[in-house]
Amino acid sequence: NAGVMQNPRHLVRRRGQEARLRCSPMKGHSHVYWYRQLPEEGLKFMVYLQKENIIDESGMPKERFSAEFPKEGPSILRIQQVVRGDSAAYFCASSPRRTGQGWNSNQPQHFGDGTRLSIL
Amino acid sequence: TQLLEQSPQFLSIQEGENLTVYCNSSSVFSSLQWYRQEPGEGPVLLVTVVTGGEVKKLKRLTFQFGDARKDSSLHITAAQPGDTGLYLCAGNPFRDSNYQLIWGAGTKLIIKP
């Protein structure tokens, strides 16, 4: 997991507040992926970003959730007006380019250690 | 909806024993990845299998991709306490992208010393 930095590691918010989760990709990586993991479940893809572009946000709820990856600085996953159901671990992964280019090129994504979001 | 079923969901065995965990689907995948996740950490990629019937070895871990590319298994020989963790499989249904993986719910493995 070395290299992909997520902060905060734990975040507690009350219902209705905003949550901001940050992800700094590995050095040299320009592609970022956000996932959500509920207890006892696998990861669910949320959004894929390159610098200043959202490539695929098909896994992200259309309301209250947004993501960005600015030219400078970390990628941010923002959840507005949080509800109890938003409680989960949110993981960020990065890769130097879009993974899987070419049928046998399954370049791995490197994961951060996640942000555990708890909604009171 | 594509699903990956992992079994068993939970396994607790003694150090030195062998074990196999399974990852099954009715869908065909372009490739399949196995990850290990420890508490409080993100998943770490162990292996990617691409070709039907492919077998890959990583020390005491043997990974196999089914001939039809719908299932996979992970066999651990002489398990050690350091193997304890959550083992996740993730299937890639597409040939030209690798981010919309279909994830299994994981097998939680505990190796008792």
Side-chain angles (χ1 to χ4, degrees):
Chain A
N1 294 339
V4 179
M5 303 300 295
Q6 288 189 249
N7 69 82
R9 292 294 308 276
H10 299 274
L11 181 60
V12 179
R13 284 286 178 267
R14 295 188 181 280
R15 280 179 294 171
Q17 291 185 319
E18 178 180 288
R20 277 179 171 248
L21 288 60
R22 294 176 193 78
C23 169
S24 296
M26 281 183 74
K27 190 174 180 180
H29 287 192
S30 57
H31 295 234
V32 164
Y33 315 81
W34 284 93
Y35 296 86
R36 181 170 130 142
Q37 186 178 34
L38 294 172
E40 313 302 324
E41 292 189 15
L43 277 70
K44 296 270 193 305
F45 166 77
M46 296 182 74
V47 61
Y48 162 38
L49 309 106
Q50 292 178 29
K51 287 279 188 184
E52 299 185 279
N53 279 310
I54 296 175
I55 306 303
D56 184 344
E57 56 183 347
S58 60
M60 200 156 66
K62 299 220 181 319
E63 295 181 356
R64 303 189 298 107
F65 285 72
S66 62
E68 62 176 9
F69 189 16
K71 189 175 179 182
E72 301 290 338
S75 175
I76 307 281
L77 178 67
R78 184 179 175 210
I79 311 173
Q80 295 177 290
Q81 298 174 330
V82 294
V83 300
R84 287 238 170 93
D86 297 332
S87 294
Y90 291 84
F91 289 95
C92 165
S94 73
S95 68
R97 57 180 180 271
R98 190 180 74 171
T99 59
Q101 286 177 312
W103 74 273
N104 61 353
S105 173
N106 286 282
Q107 183 159 312
Q109 298 172 17
H110 297 264
F111 283 83
D113 286 338
T115 293
R116 272 99 188 134
L117 176 63
S118 298
I119 309 302
L120 302 178
Chain B
T1 303
Q2 292 172 302
L3 289 174
L4 267 174
E5 304 272 349
Q6 286 193 244
S7 61
Q9 289 182 297
F10 179 79
L11 184 60
S12 178
I13 61 172
Q14 290 295 137
E15 180 178 1
E17 293 183 16
N18 301 333
L19 67 107
T20 303
V21 299
Y22 300 92
C23 178
N24 296 310
S25 176
S26 57
S27 303
V28 175
F29 292 102
S30 172
S31 65
L32 193 138
Q33 301 176 349
W34 283 92
Y35 290 80
R36 188 169 92 186
Q37 184 178 20
E38 302 199 27
E41 298 183 10
V44 176
L45 180 69
L46 296 174
V47 77
T48 300
V49 285
V50 178
T51 308
E54 182 177 4
V55 176
K56 281 192 174 178
K57 287 184 186 288
L58 188 65
K59 295 183 182 177
R60 293 175 293 99
L61 278 60
T62 301
F63 303 85
Q64 183 159 11
F65 202 12
D67 290 340
R69 288 186 286 127
K70 292 182 179 181
D71 51 75
S72 181
S73 64
L74 158 59
H75 182 79
I76 301 180
T77 304
Q80 297 179 2
D83 297 326
T84 293
L86 178 68
Y87 288 81
L88 294 160
C89 65
N92 178 19
F94 305 109
R95 278 184 175 265
D96 62 354
S97 74
N98 196 26
Y99 61 88
Q100 289 181 324
L101 299 174
I102 309 297
W103 290 80
T107 293
K108 190 176 285 188
L109 178 63
I110 294 177
I111 310 300
K112 295 177 283 189

